[in-house]
Amino acid sequence: MEQRPNVYTDDKLYKRLLADKDITIDDALENEMVINMGPQHPATHGVLRLVLRLDGETVLSVVPELGYLHRGYEKMAEDMSYIEYIPHTDRLDYTATLCNNVAYVLAVEKLLGIEAPKRAQYIRMMAAELSRIAAHMVAIGTYAMDVGAVTMVMWTFREREKIQEIFDKLAGARFTTSYTRIGGVGADADSEVLKMVKDFLDQFHSSLDEMDKLLLGNRIFIERLEGIGVISKEDAVALGLTGPNLRSAGVEYDIRRAKPYLFYNEIDFKIPTYAEGDCLARYFIRGDEVRESVKILYQVLDKMPQGEVMANNPKHVLPHKTEIYSKMEELIHDFMIINYGINPPVGDVYFSAENPKGELGFYIVSNGTGQPWKMKIRSPSFCNLQALSKICKGAMISDVIAIIGSLDPVMGEADK
Amino acid sequence: MQFKELVTEKLKNQFSDSIVEVTDFRDDLSVLIKKEKIVEVAKFLKDDGDLQFAMCKDITAIDWATRKKRFTIVYQIFSLRNNFNLRIKANLDEEPWQIESVTSVWPGANWYERETYDMYGVIFSNHPDLRRMYMPEGFQYHPLRKDFPVLGIPGSLPLPKVIK
Amino acid sequence: MGLEAKLNKDGFVTTTLDAIIAWARKSSVWPMPMGISCCAIEMISAADPKYDLARFGSEVMRFTPRQCDLMIVAGTVTYKMAQVVRRIYDQMPEPKWVIAMGACTSSGGMYRSYNVVQGIDQFLPVDVYTAGCPPRPENLINAVMTIQQKISKTKARDFQDIPLLNLETAKN
């Protein structure tokens, strides 16, 4: 085997190291240290990169750097029709694919001025809530793993796997679902799916309690989170935090209640809030939200009406595949929608929905053609990350891990 | 409906000559103002006791490509107290494309303005830290401008060097 | 129990050195989870109780490149990220393998845009491409098994000329 060069014996390398002027070792104890964290780091939830300035172990300042997953979503949207873009919304917040699907089609429907049938809206609600549970399962699992409880991620993924099985049946794909359509949903939820949801919910409560018992009986977990990363109510609002992170700071703002979309106004649920605004509150709130989602899902299953799942609006809504091949009218409409698009009126709308991470907003500018002139995605993770440098200031370096986990960013939508 | 009229009225009273247009499409109220007044309008909207638009949810730009006033800056702001979304727009009429930053009013606007600068090349004056948000430093173009191709400009972004 | 039941005295096996090294190497492939986007979640799913990548000796996800011999590139690689991926690859000790997980890494996938590298094979030697967006966990497990087959065919002396870690490349 070839002799490897050794830093200590190889003269050339050693001299080069000595000649390196970037390293100063005059007084190692007095110097502040700048360290790099990420973009490849197990605790940064993807490809977030932080540059930290440290004094010993205390964080003096944090500069997040984004863009390692910038895929050009908004540019691509300008080049494709409204229907073509649905699969792209899956990959925004990839832990809660169906929530994104629902938010996007609702934004387009607001622009078009159409509404999906009631059953479709109920199915969307069911899908979004299941997706919320799935997203929070990832959030709680990876959060606990970051602060040292590796077992947790196995338990939460076991539950998540059951939800993905339901998606497999409902949408035909377990992960990137692309299930919703403009004016409805891709396929009806048959009785088998509804039974699967019911069975899942029935056993979910006990496993959720089990998870809580595992974590909250653990002193290390509590002590690493309690009182860490506190953000005040005023700061949270000023920095534009939304979702669980805002509610854990004591602001009762949930779009499902504030501006009810779908049929959330017919559903009875609580909005959990905590006043503390620390990492532990951000853990509790996710658990509570999952419990509320379970309550919502039971009601949705009870109230699910019968009927169509696609709106009857041939100029904007794609006809069913079986009809395209047997009826002339439908064939023409299909051809027009696919080739020329759905041509919404000229104007701009902003629609936002409550996603697991916060407020996902779509700002669409239409110039009357089949493609949007401009599509802006207001992604919650991006805004939540903005608070990071404020929260981390003065914390210990080990707290930074807990704080990132508690803010729960998903880089897919933060970088877009 | 009542709050919508209140906002319009208050704005018109306070800034009678700076409000260019008020539109209401699909129940979204949007106000087009002159770009010089953006910070004043923002301060007023935030501090007024009845309105209290304390949260800036989003800032972006629209590139109209062929129009003389090429860029429109769009602000989505939100009043928690009144549960109301308002959209403020301001047209940029000539080069250099520049507008006053609103970070002094809404600290959360910081990253949105950086993002808009990165994507459109609009300069926000008095911004504390106007760097690119997503694209690497040294990248010369602004991708969301309409004259930038979707597939990018070959050679503008380097691939890593492969050492054998 | 299997073979042990037949043993009355101390047993021995004859085999070639190549076979035993390849067998040991293939049964303990430690992946470097280069989790970038959506595929990362499915990669965790592959290691979760239902799919259980541990059956193939590959559940030891190590986040430091020095301890890994298989890089699973899971997710869209942008130009900015490509520099990082390549640097981490350079820091992995030889011998090493690469799985391109999903459509994005294999070919750019649905992202025909200015900032996405259209296939990581432009700057990385890829051993196995995995289809799907994202691939199901079964598919990832299949990719790991394919790597294992590839490793089982190697001979120990195939790697004798390669330095364990090239300091020149690892530094860059």
Side-chain angles (χ1 to χ4, degrees), chain A residues 76-111:
Chain A
M76 281 191 291
E78 293 167 10
D79 246 39
M80 50 179 66
S81 72
Y82 291 92
I83 293 170
E84 268 180 291
Y85 196 64
I86 294 173
H88 282 272
T89 58
D90 281 341
R91 290 148 181 89
L92 280 172
D93 171 2
Y94 39 76
T95 57
T97 53
L98 270 160
C99 286
N100 305 334
N101 288 166
V102 170
Y104 172 71
V105 292
L106 283 171
V108 178
E109 282 170 14
K110 183 178 176 185
L111 178 67

Side-chain angles (χ1 to χ4, degrees), chain B residues 2 9 11 34 49-50 62-64 68 70 80 109 117 137 140 153:
Chain B
Q2 223 174 1
E9 206 170 287
L11 275 175
K34 285 188 180 155
D50 292 335
I62 307 171
D63 181 2
W64 295 108
K68 190 157 173 284
R70 184 169 169 186
L80 268 172
Y117 161 71
E137 294 292 331
Q140 291 167 13
I153 289 161

Side-chain angles (χ1 to χ4, degrees), chain A residues 16 40 42 47 65-66 68-73 76 88 91 94 154 160-161 165 168 174-176, chain C residues 32-34 36-37 42 48 50-51 63 76 78 80-81 88 110-111 113-115 133-134 136-137:
Chain A
R16 207 171 68 200
Q40 206 285 322
V47 290
E65 178 162 348
L66 282 80
Y68 286 95
L69 193 54
H70 177 63
R71 295 174 279 193
Y73 264 110
M76 281 191 291
H88 282 272
R91 290 148 181 89
Y94 39 76
M154 296 290 163
R160 187 184 152 86
E161 209 54 58
E165 251 167 50
D168 219 346
R174 53 178 254 125
F175 190 81
T176 37
Chain C
M32 158 88 220
M34 192 74 225
I36 300 172
S37 61
E42 286 297 72
D48 80 0
K50 187 173 168 190
Y51 293 101
F63 287 88
T76 323
T78 60
K80 203 168 170 181
M81 194 65 198
I88 288 171
M110 61 200 285
Y111 300 104
S113 83
Y114 52 90
N115 204 21
C133 186
R136 294 175 71 101

